[in-house]
Amino acid sequence: MKRRIDRAIILFDVTYADGSRSSRRKILKSIADGPGSEAAVKAEIEAQDREIERSSGKVREAIKSIARSPV
């Protein structure tokens, strides 16, 4: 039998330096609950932002704060 990969996600709200917000960003639970989770979550969101920049051409500001989305 194949093992199921834990694909649970946690949602985060991101505030950028220019005051703009991005709500409900999806991060794998394994990243968000691991050691050094705050830095890991920020790195994952920055990676997502770079991918969005490549496809849309719009540049994001620096991340000001990250908080878990209310359930």
Side-chain angles (χ1 to χ4, degrees):
M1 239 171 106
K2 290 183 181 180
R3 293 180 71 188
R4 288 186 180 188
I5 297 173
D6 183 17
R7 297 303 246 175
I9 59 170
I10 298 177
L11 302 174
F12 287 86
D13 294 333
V14 182
T15 303
Y16 294 93
D18 65 354
S20 62
R21 293 184 60 204
S22 180
S23 299
R24 301 177 57 87
R25 298 290 292 270
K26 296 176 183 177
I27 303 295
L28 290 175
K29 185 177 180 187
S30 60
I31 294 171
D33 288 344
S37 61
E38 187 173 330
V41 168
K42 184 176 181 182
E44 182 66 22
I45 290 174
E46 288 171 340
Q48 290 176 3
D49 283 347
R50 284 191 298 276
E51 187 61 35
I52 292 167
E53 287 174 6
R54 272 190 228 117
S55 62
S56 72
K58 295 181 181 179
V59 178
R60 286 282 194 172
E61 292 288 324
I63 295 173
K64 182 177 178 181
S65 66
I66 300 171
R68 286 189 183 208
S69 296
V71 177

